[in-house]
Amino acid sequence: MPHHALITGITGQDGSYLAESLLAKGYEVYGVVRRSSTETFERINHLRERVTLLQADLLDQMSVIRAIEKSEPREVYNLAAQSFVPTSFEQPLLTAEYTAMGVTRVLEGIRTVDPKIRFYQASSSEMFGKVRASPQDELTPFHPRSPYAVAKTYGHFITVNYRESYGIFACSGMLFNHESPRRGLEFVTRKITDGVARIKHGLAQKLPLGNLEAKRDWGYAGDYVEAMHAMLQRGEPADYVVATGETHSVREFCEIAFARAGLDWQKHVASDPRFYRPAEVDLLVGDWSKAKRELGWAPKVGFRGLVEMMVDADLARVGLEVTRGRTPEAA
């Protein structure tokens, strides 16, 4: 009998890569989706015949419990959240309900239905925020700088609390920024690669961005979902930083992305104060040595390879839309 896995946030970037990975490992995969008048399943369209989708909402405790009962999972991966930092400043209460309280509802569902279920929580490098030390590891103190980061910090500690209070096999992956061609268009990396494609195909001239000097530790989402799975195969639950250990600026990302398309980024990129955060996180870089040591995990796709992969995908996508005579969706 194959193991069952339940993924909240299956329609997102990480959820789609994780679903692919688990299917390849022989799992029966279930995904939680919210009811909506317009379906947004493009990231998992190629998997629709192979996964079972269950309607539930992290704001509704009973629907979460029913999803767990129906799927009978060995493992639950909680990837659902309001995950866009700027939106968290505009909608702090909604962010808290999904990104903080939603974690508690999933953990309560596990405790109610079957405490032997193994649980993965998607924690975030944004919890480190105004960093106290570099690089950041599992013991670095948190100083969250956005409502999103504050909510993720709650989700992280409530996971630790259920592990210590109820003996649930609960792990948190403190994932640093991870990108891919499936990243949402609102995130800066995808905004850049989509902008490059639009400029290359003559649909735009300028790309307005925020703080070009902000530095991040950027990895490939397809690599990072392997670390999630590895955490739940261990003998004991623990928390892990998942990162590359390299830091690169938004400016560097632009340089590589535009060069890939044969363009000079300085002719097209403009720094716009409207895109600055109220409280900026300037430098994030992760120490992933514990994940390497205990999980045997390592990132495979390097920074340049990641940027070029994303640019190539967007050049192809926008080019196809232009050929068909349609204007691609704006970033």
Side-chain angles (χ1 to χ4, degrees), residues 66-132:
R66 282 194 292 271
I68 295 171
E69 287 175 338
K70 288 177 184 175
S71 56
E72 299 181 321
R74 175 183 185 265
E75 299 162 8
V76 171
Y77 296 85
N78 183 43
L79 311 185
Q82 191 301 99
S83 60
F84 190 46
V85 171
T87 297
S88 77
F89 285 101
E90 300 295 326
Q91 300 181 351
L93 297 179
L94 183 71
T95 299
E97 282 291 347
Y98 275 112
T99 308
M101 294 304 294
V103 186
T104 316
R105 293 187 187 101
V106 178
L107 284 164
E108 269 297 287
I110 289 171
R111 192 166 77 93
T112 302
V113 177
D114 181 3
K116 294 191 297 297
I117 292 169
R118 296 188 169 205
F119 175 75
Y120 171 83
Q121 165 59 14
S123 286
S124 168
S125 60
E126 289 283 335
M127 302 185 305
F128 296 115
K130 192 176 177 69
V131 297
R132 316 283 185 89

Side-chain angles (χ1 to χ4, degrees), residues 85-86 88-89 124-132 142-153 216 277-284:
V85 171
S88 77
F89 285 101
S124 168
S125 60
E126 289 283 335
M127 302 185 305
F128 296 115
K130 192 176 177 69
V131 297
R132 316 283 185 89
F142 299 142
H143 187 149
R145 298 270 280 173
S146 66
Y148 166 76
V150 172
K152 277 291 185 184
T153 304
R216 294 290 184 273
R277 296 181 182 182
E280 185 57 83
V281 176
D282 296 311
L283 172 63
L284 290 172

Side-chain angles (χ1 to χ4, degrees), residues 5-6 39 44 70 87 113 115 143 149 157 162 183 185 198 215 256 283 286 304 306 322:
L6 177 65
E39 292 188 343
I44 59 166
K70 288 177 184 175
T87 297
V113 177
H143 187 149
F157 280 123
Y162 272 66
R183 189 56 141 155
L185 285 164
R198 290 168 166 281
K215 293 181 177 178
I256 294 172
L283 172 63
R304 178 176 292 276
L306 172 66
V322 169

Side-chain angles (χ1 to χ4, degrees), residues 180-292:
S180 76
R182 299 179 194 172
R183 189 56 141 155
L185 285 164
E186 69 272 23
F187 290 88
V188 67
T189 51
R190 188 72 196 291
K191 184 177 179 181
I192 293 168
T193 61
D194 176 71
V196 166
R198 290 168 166 281
I199 291 166
K200 183 68 175 178
H201 286 288
L203 299 176
Q205 282 297 314
K206 294 293 182 184
L207 176 63
L209 296 172
N211 181 9
L212 298 179
E213 305 313 319
K215 293 181 177 178
R216 294 290 184 273
D217 182 330
W218 276 303
Y220 172 50
D223 289 342
Y224 284 29
V225 299
E226 298 301 327
M228 299 176 188
H229 176 261
M231 287 177 211
L232 298 195
Q233 314 315 309
R234 296 269 302 159
E236 295 293 330
D239 305 322
Y240 297 89
V241 162
V242 180
T244 70
E246 295 181 11
T247 184
H248 298 276
S249 66
V250 175
R251 182 186 301 274
E252 286 178 79
F253 199 106
C254 287
E255 289 172 357
I256 294 172
F258 278 86
R260 181 68 170 178
L263 299 169
D264 179 355
W265 75 276
Q266 294 184 78
K267 292 180 180 177
H268 302 284
V269 172
S271 185
D272 189 331
R274 288 180 304 157
F275 297 110
Y276 278 62
R277 296 181 182 182
E280 185 57 83
V281 176
D282 296 311
L283 172 63
L284 290 172
V285 57
D287 175 355
W288 53 280
S289 56
K290 181 181 177 184
K292 180 180 182 181

